[in-house]
Amino acid sequence: QMFILSLSFVLLTSIVLLLVAWCKRTYTFWQRHNIPYVKPLPIIGTLKDVLTMKKNVGVHINEIYNDPVFAKEPVVGIYMLHQPALLIRDPELIKSMFVKNFQNFHDRYATVDVSVDPFGALNMFLCKYGTWNKMRPKFSPTFTSGKLKQTFPLMVKVAQNLEKFLVKKGNKFVLEVRELCGLYTTDQISTIAFGIQAHSFDNFNNTANMFSLQNQCNIKERPTYKIVVMLLLPRLAKLFRAELFTKKYQNFLRTSLNNIIEERKRSGVIRNDLIDTLIKLRQEAEGTIEESEKQTYDDTLLAQANVFYLAGYETSLSFLSYTLYLLAKHPKVQKRLREEIKCCLENENGHVTYESLQNIPYMDMVMQESLRLYPVVSFLEREHNCDDPVLGKFSLKPHHDFDLPGGMPIFVSTLGMHNDPKYWDNPEVFDPERFAPGKPIPSAYMPYGAGPHNCIGGRLAKLQSKLGFIHILKNFEMRSCSKTVEDLRVSSNTISLVCEDDIHLEFVKDVLWEQ
């Protein structure tokens, strides 16, 4: 018995000593390479506040960026559990990684296993380079100026429905604008992507709204920890069955989209939208795809339409809501913007044309400044690739004598860079004049990402936002009210900068144009 106890003690001591040695070796990685770093905790690294759901991922990375200790540092070492990673703080270094040396960083670090969630794994937001390189050229034409111009009349109808909904409310009322912007975004995405007239402002039970309802259910039913694993601990993604789309949502989307596609084919209607693109790509693949690969190829196509809704919905409604909030808080800016809208309407006899939206510079300035303060993508991430011997490893020279090992994740805090006094005077102030025509825009500004992996739908997002602002502000002045929150909080369990608070604003009728 004594022998067994002694042996158990020796084994336990050995395990403890090995664990201590492993921790010491693992968590001194950046110290050994003379790179400034955030002091980690054993096992969890620098992720304590994220893993405990106390902070949004983007906010957490932003706080590391803003630590005064690292104010002059181009890079900061962090740890994703035991995995060393880098936070990049220098704009030129970011440009080098995301643009010039794109082939070294062509994959996102975030991962979803294809066997768990094929729609999550195969969409352009998360898929690996081999899939991304095939899909991006196929879907990019859907978002060109020419294609958007063809769908513009449909987008105008949605904006007009928004206008009618507000006019019916009366001369003075209070609305929660996140809900309002959610209805508008639902209608726009349903129309542009799926060719469905949603009429969200009139009817909450039709097919198109089912996309919105199922999307919201998907977000609520998907545990937050799975998103954290997907984004920051991707090597554990399969183990924890991390997913963007729950099984229930996957089945709904696959059935619904296939039904929409078949109905479009039967009708013969050409709308130049995402559904037409899916039909065209399916037809092109007939006879060229092996039978065993057809399901994967089809899921890859459908994944692009699905992520368009998932990613576009929350980011668009958040941007619209934050901007309306800022305008209500800054009446002088709002007054100037409404004057520009009035001139635009007078020049076009009350109509809103695709061409006129290209010539409203102050609205562009307001939108850019809103995206600076509240970027729809609060952080960027990539994984270093050095498999190609021609490319080799990416070096941090001249900043540090360090070559990145293969698989190392890098992060960029767009939220931090957008609010850094090094690049912006009084960054906490909402000032659209920063983006006046002719003024140089700092390279630290990257609201839609950077490099070839930037947001494919950025042009579309701007267009639908402009239409929304015009059809709200042409009839109403936005004001703060007793229910308006003074300081907005960011939700801790979302990917993007989703507002934790309801945003209540007062709408006061002040018509700029009447037919």
Side-chain angles (χ1 to χ4, degrees):
Q1 190 175 11
M2 287 297 297
F3 174 76
I4 293 173
L5 288 173
S6 299
L7 181 61
S8 298
F9 177 76
V10 170
L11 287 173
L12 182 61
T13 303
S14 300
I15 291 171
V16 171
L17 290 174
L18 285 172
L19 183 61
V20 170
W22 177 83
C23 284
K24 185 175 181 180
R25 176 69 180 175
T26 299
Y27 295 112
T28 57
F29 181 87
W30 292 123
Q31 188 177 354
R32 296 198 308 273
H33 289 92
N34 296 315
I35 288 177
Y37 63 95
V38 179
K39 187 176 180 180
L41 291 173
I43 310 301
I44 63 175
T46 53
L47 293 177
K48 178 184 175 182
D49 288 340
V50 174
L51 293 178
T52 55
M53 308 299 171
K54 289 183 178 179
K55 291 178 183 173
N56 176 284
V57 176
V59 171
H60 175 67
I61 294 173
N62 173 59
E63 289 183 353
I64 296 175
Y65 179 96
N66 287 324
D67 190 327
V69 174
F70 307 124
K72 296 183 180 180
E73 300 294 343
V75 299
V76 178
I78 55 179
Y79 293 89
M80 306 290 105
L81 298 187
H82 67 281
Q83 167 69 56
L86 279 172
L87 172 62
I88 313 299
R89 300 183 76 259
D90 180 74
E92 293 307 312
L93 188 55
I94 293 169
K95 185 178 178 181
S96 176
M97 290 175 162
F98 283 62
V99 182
K100 183 180 177 181
N101 293 279
F102 170 72
Q103 291 299 329
N104 277 116
F105 300 94
H106 55 48
D107 279 335
R108 296 188 185 276
Y109 182 56
T111 298
V112 174
D113 189 83
V114 69
S115 65
V116 175
D117 176 10
F119 289 162
L122 297 172
N123 70 77
M124 279 185 282
F125 183 74
L126 287 176
C127 68
K128 297 307 177 185
Y129 180 70
T131 302
W132 178 89
N133 198 35
K134 294 175 182 176
M135 289 296 113
R136 179 92 180 197
K138 294 180 185 295
F139 284 89
S140 291
T142 306
F143 302 98
T144 61
S145 297
K147 282 292 181 71
L148 291 179
K149 194 171 182 179
Q150 291 174 341
T151 60
F152 185 74
L154 300 173
M155 298 174 69
V156 171
K157 288 182 179 179
V158 173
Q160 290 171 341
N161 289 338
L162 166 65
E163 179 184 352
K164 291 174 184 176
F165 173 80
L166 292 174
V167 170
K168 288 179 181 178
K169 286 282 183 182
N171 295 328
K172 191 175 183 180
F173 52 90
V174 173
L175 277 181
E176 202 290 299
V177 296
R178 276 185 51 79
E179 182 179 359
L180 177 74
C181 295
L183 293 174
Y184 174 69
T185 302
T186 294
D187 275 18
Q188 286 289 12
I189 294 178
S190 298
T191 296
I192 301 163
F194 306 132
I196 299 173
Q197 298 299 313
H199 300 295
S200 297
F201 297 105
D202 304 322
N203 185 355
F204 290 89
N205 298 311
N206 58 27
T207 304
N209 258 311
M210 284 301 294
F211 278 94
S212 177
L213 293 172
Q214 290 289 338
N215 183 42
Q216 292 174 36
C217 288
N218 177 63
I219 293 171
K220 291 176 182 177
E221 294 172 2
R222 182 188 59 206
T224 303
Y225 78 85
K226 290 191 176 186
I227 297 299
V228 173
V229 170
M230 176 192 77
L231 291 174
L232 304 179
L233 310 170
R235 288 180 175 82
L236 302 176
K238 187 173 184 179
L239 176 65
F240 283 91
R241 301 193 68 77
E243 58 193 0
L244 268 181
F245 303 88
T246 63
K247 286 294 183 185
K248 174 184 172 184
Y249 195 33
Q250 289 177 49
N251 293 334
F252 166 79
L253 290 168
R254 186 178 283 108
T255 301
S256 299
L257 280 172
N258 281 326
N259 288 341
I260 292 170
I261 288 170
E262 290 305 312
E263 178 59 33
R264 178 70 61 84
K265 288 164 69 176
R266 281 194 295 269
S267 70
V269 174
I270 303 296
R271 288 171 54 103
N272 296 299
D273 57 10
L274 204 55
I275 297 298
D276 283 348
T277 300
L278 292 176
I279 292 172
K280 177 186 175 185
L281 293 176
R282 274 183 171 180
Q283 291 172 341
E284 289 177 353
E286 289 179 2
T288 63
I289 302 293
E290 295 291 334
E291 191 66 32
S292 59
E293 299 176 357
K294 279 187 177 181
Q295 183 62 54
T296 300
Y297 181 78
D298 204 53
D299 277 351
T300 304
L301 295 182
L302 296 180
Q304 314 319 318
N306 295 332
V307 80
F308 182 79
Y309 202 103
L310 186 71
Y313 176 78
E314 192 63 65
T315 54
S316 293
L317 82 84
S318 291
F319 168 61
L320 289 165
S321 304
Y322 282 131
T323 306
L324 291 174
Y325 174 82
L326 289 168
L327 290 172
K329 287 286 187 179
H330 299 83
K332 289 183 179 179
V333 173
Q334 184 182 173
K335 181 181 178 182
R336 181 175 167 185
L337 177 58
R338 296 188 78 230
E339 288 172 351
E340 182 180 64
I341 291 172
K342 182 178 180 180
C343 290
C344 177
L345 294 171
E346 288 174 346
N347 292 337
E348 299 292 338
N349 195 29
H351 298 293
V352 179
T353 66
Y354 183 86
E355 289 72 23
S356 65
L357 291 189
Q358 314 310 312
N359 193 32
I360 41 177
Y362 195 65
M363 182 176 286
D364 288 325
M365 293 160 60
V366 168
M367 290 170 61
Q368 286 176 294
E369 176 66 348
S370 176
L371 284 169
R372 184 188 68 81
L373 286 171
Y374 299 104
V376 293
V377 181
S378 58
F379 71 98
L380 308 174
E381 42 75 33
R382 297 288 188 272
E383 182 179 55
H384 178 239
N385 165 48
C386 58
D387 293 339
D388 189 335
V390 177
L391 291 174
K393 295 181 178 180
F394 183 85
S395 174
L396 291 183
K397 293 179 180 178
H399 304 291
H400 293 280
D401 186 14
F402 177 72
D403 294 339
L404 272 66
M408 173 166 281
I410 64 163
F411 293 85
V412 173
S413 175
T414 49
L415 182 60
M417 302 196 77
H418 283 192
N419 290 273
D420 192 333
K422 188 188 301 182
Y423 311 113
W424 315 91
D425 295 331
N426 302 313
E428 72 284 354
V429 176
F430 177 62
D431 180 16
E433 290 300 324
R434 302 178 199 276
F435 296 95
K439 277 192 175 182
I441 298 177
S443 56
Y445 186 67
M446 49 187 78
Y448 292 105
H453 247 309
N454 65 354
C455 178
I456 191 173
R459 188 183 283 111
L460 171 62
K462 292 177 185 177
L463 193 61
Q464 74 175 36
S465 298
K466 286 183 177 182
L467 281 171
F469 292 137
I470 287 178
H471 284 81
I472 292 173
L473 297 173
K474 68 183 287 192
N475 293 310
F476 294 94
E477 178 186 343
M478 312 295 300
R479 295 179 185 174
S480 296
C481 63
S482 59
K483 297 178 71 175
T484 304
V485 177
E486 190 62 32
D487 296 309
L488 299 179
R489 298 172 300 163
V490 174
S491 175
S492 61
N493 60 355
T494 56
I495 300 175
S496 56
L497 292 182
V498 176
C499 187
E500 179 78 16
D501 306 289
D502 289 339
I503 304 177
H504 289 94
L505 298 178
E506 185 177 53
F507 290 65
V508 180
K509 196 163 188 179
D510 180 26
V511 180
L512 299 178
W513 169 269
E514 286 184 300
Q515 188 68 35

